[in-house]
Amino acid sequence: MTALGGTPAVALALAALGLVDSAFSGFRAYAGRDARIRKHRAVARASLRGLAVGSVLLLAPVLTACGVVLTAADRDRTYATLTEGGIGYLAPLACYASAVLLSLAAYFFLPFRASTLAVVAGLGPLTLLRPLVIAAACVGSFVRGGGVASLLVGTVAGAAVLCVEPLVHRHWYSAALRSDPTPASVPAGA
């Protein structure tokens, strides 16, 4: 596969990973803030909110890449360089996504105790590793041959993805944390 021929596939794979991660970020922004047992609609709504925020934020790396290509002296070479950087960026993310999928499969298909262990030992640490994986992806884009241009686009993309969860939380779910009952708000006789 040549660099120019692989560009749409790399871009689509990166966009798909970014959007899926955004939906999970929306879920994480909501998770643990609702004590109801049946909350499928709320989980779907939170995931869609993450997806919507992520869709907007992921325009930033697209615009950055367009700006880099349009201002370059040799656009074809810059385009090929960004493609190589995209491949380098994609490799750590693909490994990370595979580990997440494996943990999710264990969560959904194993018995209760084993699925709980899969969440605690798999998904929990993987969530904490997200910033490091994105940093590794940025390094991968540079090392693969993407140079400074790919490092710039990858950094903007990483920042955009990491901003989804705080933005969703702050906009829709931060009120739940601020509603701590104080002694003055507890009714008499309770």
Side-chain angles (χ1 to χ4, degrees):
M1 175 176 10
T2 64
L4 291 176
T7 301
V10 171
L12 285 174
L14 288 171
L17 285 175
L19 292 174
V20 169
D21 186 78
S22 296
F24 280 116
S25 294
F27 167 75
R28 283 192 305 273
Y30 162 77
R33 288 164 176 76
D34 190 345
R36 292 179 293 172
I37 294 174
R38 297 177 195 268
K39 47 190 169 190
H40 298 311
R41 297 178 90 189
V43 167
R45 185 174 40 246
S47 298
L48 289 175
R49 286 173 175 166
L51 186 61
V53 171
S55 298
V56 173
L57 290 179
L58 286 174
L59 291 175
V62 172
L63 294 175
T64 303
C66 289
V68 167
V69 170
L70 291 176
T71 58
D74 185 356
R75 291 182 182 169
D76 289 337
R77 185 172 180 204
T78 303
Y79 193 74
T81 300
L82 287 177
T83 301
E84 287 298 325
I87 293 169
Y89 197 84
L90 184 60
L93 296 181
C95 294
Y96 177 80
S98 299
V100 169
L101 285 176
L102 188 62
S103 294
L104 282 174
Y107 173 71
F108 284 115
F109 297 113
L110 292 179
F112 178 74
R113 289 184 184 199
S115 67
T116 302
L117 179 63
V119 169
V120 171
L123 293 176
L126 287 172
T127 300
L128 296 176
L129 289 175
R130 282 178 68 238
L132 295 177
V133 172
I134 290 173
C138 290
V139 171
S141 70
F142 185 79
V143 171
R144 169 77 186 195
V148 175
S150 292
L151 185 61
L152 172 67
V153 174
T155 302
V156 171
V161 167
L162 290 175
C163 286
V164 172
E165 186 176 343
L167 287 174
V168 171
H169 171 74
R170 186 172 304 235
H171 187 72
W172 283 288
Y173 302 111
S174 63
L177 293 177
R178 283 188 255 138
S179 63
D180 291 337
T182 60
S185 66
V186 176

